[in-house]
């Protein structure tokens, strides 16, 4: 798995305010949306395109447009929904599928409870959205789910990642053939005993939707 930390002053600036416990829900939601747009710019550098002939006001020329089949954006419910608008701002013609996954707080394993994806993902380039890569179980399960349905290129986008989670994902997907890329805003220090990222930003879902 290739790991890309999007090292940019604006990303670090927005992450600082996302981390701050004093940041209220509306501000947190807006900052997350803006941050995802910045991360999406990095994550889509290798999005598939094909030539496209056009006529400018001056002369004919050839540009590019997104190749077929279109990319599929997959937010992991529920927190991943808070990243969807920012991603779709960069890929407005992409299709969207949904995966509902929940982490068992005792075993830290992820379980799928909802699936709204095309049955056939053959030759599809997929972008998985999940704010936090903590223990890694959710991301491993989600990527395997997509690969089993035929996805052949997967990029995961997270606001924050823990080194333990990255290591677990790399080990857990070592046998997966399609290329996997992780684009993240920062790699934090560690996980605590409860499986939360330190220093982190708390529970992203709760902070996005106002449940604390």
């Amino acid at each position: 798995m290739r790991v890309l930390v999007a090292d940019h002053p604006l990303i670090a600036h927005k992450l600082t305010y996302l981390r701050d416990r004093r940041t209220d829900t509306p501000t947190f939601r807006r900052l997350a949306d803006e941050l995802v747009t910045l991360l999406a710019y990095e994550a889509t550098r290798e999005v598939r395109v094909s030539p496209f002939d056009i006529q400018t006001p001056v002369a004919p020329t050839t540009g590019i447009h997104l190749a077929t089949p279109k990319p599929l954006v997959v937010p992991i419910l529920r927190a991943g929904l808070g990243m969807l608008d920012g991603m779709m701002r960069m890929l407005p013609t992409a299709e969207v599928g949904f995966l509902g996954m929940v982490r068992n707080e005792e075993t830290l394993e992820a379980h799928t409870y909802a699936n709204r994806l095309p049955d056939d993902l053959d030759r599809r380039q997929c972008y998985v959205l999940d704010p936090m890569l903590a223990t890694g179980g959710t991301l491993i399960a989600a990527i395997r789910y997509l690969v089993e349905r035929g996805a052949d290129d997967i990029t995961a986008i997270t606001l924050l990642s823990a080194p333990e989670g990255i290591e677990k994902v790399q080990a857990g997907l070592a046998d997966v053939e399609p290329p996997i890329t992780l684009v993240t805003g920062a790699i934090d220090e560690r996980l605590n005993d409860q499986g939360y990222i330190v220093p982190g930003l708390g529970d992203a879902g709760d902070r996005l939707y106002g449940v604390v």
Side-chain angles (χ1 to χ4, degrees):
M1 179 178 73
R2 182 176 58 147
V3 179
L4 172 62
V5 180
D7 184 17
H8 191 284
L10 286 180
I11 290 175
H13 165 77
K14 293 179 189 302
L15 271 177
T16 298
Y17 285 93
L18 281 175
R19 294 180 189 276
D20 193 336
R21 64 185 300 176
R22 296 169 296 182
T23 299
D24 59 25
T25 293
T27 305
F28 188 95
R29 193 179 298 131
R30 175 179 57 81
L31 287 169
D33 179 77
E34 294 171 355
L35 179 54
V36 172
T37 299
L38 294 173
L39 293 174
Y41 181 81
E42 296 295 335
T44 54
R45 284 188 179 274
E46 296 181 7
V47 67
R48 293 169 184 163
V49 295
S50 57
F52 185 57
D53 294 330
I54 61 170
Q55 176 76 43
T56 79
V58 178
T61 189
T62 300
I64 58 172
H65 64 174
L66 293 183
T68 302
K70 295 178 180 178
L72 181 70
V73 177
V74 184
I76 305 300
L77 303 179
R78 68 179 168 144
L81 283 177
M83 302 172 68
L84 182 58
D85 286 348
M87 186 69 186
M88 296 307 290
R89 192 171 295 116
M90 292 296 291
L91 284 176
T93 60
E95 296 179 354
V96 180
F98 299 92
L99 271 179
M101 309 193 82
V102 63
R103 185 177 76 169
N104 184 307
E105 295 303 327
E106 293 182 2
T107 66
L108 302 182
E109 296 298 322
H111 301 280
T112 302
Y113 66 85
N115 165 23
R116 292 294 182 271
L117 295 173
D119 291 333
D120 184 5
L121 297 179
D122 184 44
R123 298 186 300 111
R124 295 294 290 267
Q125 199 169 18
C126 296
Y127 294 89
V128 179
L129 309 180
D130 199 7
M132 315 290 280
L133 171 50
T135 61
T138 298
L139 192 56
I140 291 171
I143 289 175
R144 285 197 171 276
Y145 209 82
L146 297 173
V147 170
E148 288 169 3
R149 281 152 184 77
D152 68 351
D153 187 285
I154 299 171
T155 298
I157 303 173
T158 67
L159 306 181
L160 291 178
S161 297
E164 297 94 328
I166 293 173
E167 190 173 313
K168 182 174 180 180
V169 172
Q170 288 174 324
L173 297 176
D175 62 331
V176 171
E177 292 185 6
I180 309 296
T181 301
L182 169 68
V183 177
T184 189
I187 298 176
D188 273 13
E189 296 173 11
R190 58 183 173 85
L191 293 179
N192 64 16
D193 293 340
Q194 289 75 45
Y196 284 91
I197 298 175
V198 179
L201 49 76
D203 187 300
D206 287 352
R207 297 194 68 189
L208 279 164
Y209 300 115
V211 180
V212 294

